[in-house]
Amino acid sequence: MSERKPYPSDLSDEQWALIEPVIAAWKAGRRSVSGHWGSYVMREIVNAILCQGRTGCQWGYLPHDLPPGSATYYYSARWRDDGTARKICVLLRWHVRESKGRLADPSLVVLDTQSVHAAAGVSASTTGRDAAKKVPGRKRALAVDVLGLVIAVVVLAASTHDNTAGIALLDRGTVTKAPADQGFKNSVVEHGARLGIDVEIVERNPANRGFVPQPKRWIAEQTYGTLMLHRRLVRDYEHLPASSESRVYWAMTAVMSRRLAHGPAPSWRSA
């Protein structure tokens, strides 16, 4: 990595050591016929992706001492399309779970959805209006484990019913139990039953006033809160829903690699 003043979002040596084997294997399989490895340091490309995710800046506004937006976007899109971004996230999740004495794959996930506004440049064909939450944009659906780690993410138009999002999430995992909020209906429960998954709809106590954390379901809310520390996710700026999903994987990669390297966790407020 070239000598420059580091940004808070930069990977430490310990974090990069966790990610580098996947990136190095990917790069080795795409060496040019002339044997050229490319002009950019892969660690700096990842730093640029994480910097943009944390700050929310546009591609053309990336700091000048990081790789240019055109190069960063190229690799981000390649890693989105061939599953590398998700692969890194999955491997780190396995590592975190095993470090906590758990099996690599969970048996229980919590399902939840979040509707976020879409930026002006996002295609109307991939957005809609969430009638219940009165949010025009996209719906981000997560399946998270008991540690709050993302198991699966699906991004759809905000007008899409939670049932559709829940069914898509269940199709992406192999679990036995899935608590979900009351926005999910019988079709999700029935689809889960066909897959051998016990979907439990956690009803809100009508006597409660204001925000009251629900058993198990609060874990998904906590994960959404953590993702909101990454400003690129506060609003959906991505033209493709697949890019929005990839952004979630990169945000979780930053969170999990920091945990594994025992680095300082990002907080809502500085001291």
Side-chain angles (χ1 to χ4, degrees), residues 226-246:
T226 299
L227 292 177
M228 290 300 97
L229 294 171
H230 301 261
R231 292 188 180 185
R232 189 79 180 188
L233 292 173
V234 173
R235 184 180 291 267
D236 200 326
Y237 295 95
E238 313 305 329
H239 287 190
L240 299 176
S243 295
S244 301
E245 295 176 11
S246 182

Side-chain angles (χ1 to χ4, degrees), residues 98-151:
E98 289 173 350
S99 72
K100 299 295 184 181
R102 297 180 178 273
L103 296 176
D105 289 313
S107 59
L108 179 147
V109 295
V110 181
L111 309 182
D112 202 0
T113 64
Q114 174 193 50
S115 292
V116 294
H117 289 268
V122 177
S123 171
S125 64
T126 63
T127 63
R129 181 178 177 82
D130 186 324
K133 299 176 183 177
K134 298 179 174 60
V135 173
R138 286 197 178 128
K139 179 167 290 184
R140 189 180 294 148
L142 296 183
V144 304
D145 68 3
V146 295
L147 299 178
L149 307 179
V150 172
I151 306 301

Side-chain angles (χ1 to χ4, degrees), residues 253-270:
T253 289
V255 170
M256 293 186 292
S257 64
R258 194 181 293 270
R259 285 189 194 179
L260 291 167
H262 306 292
S267 62
W268 288 102
R269 300 176 180 86
S270 57

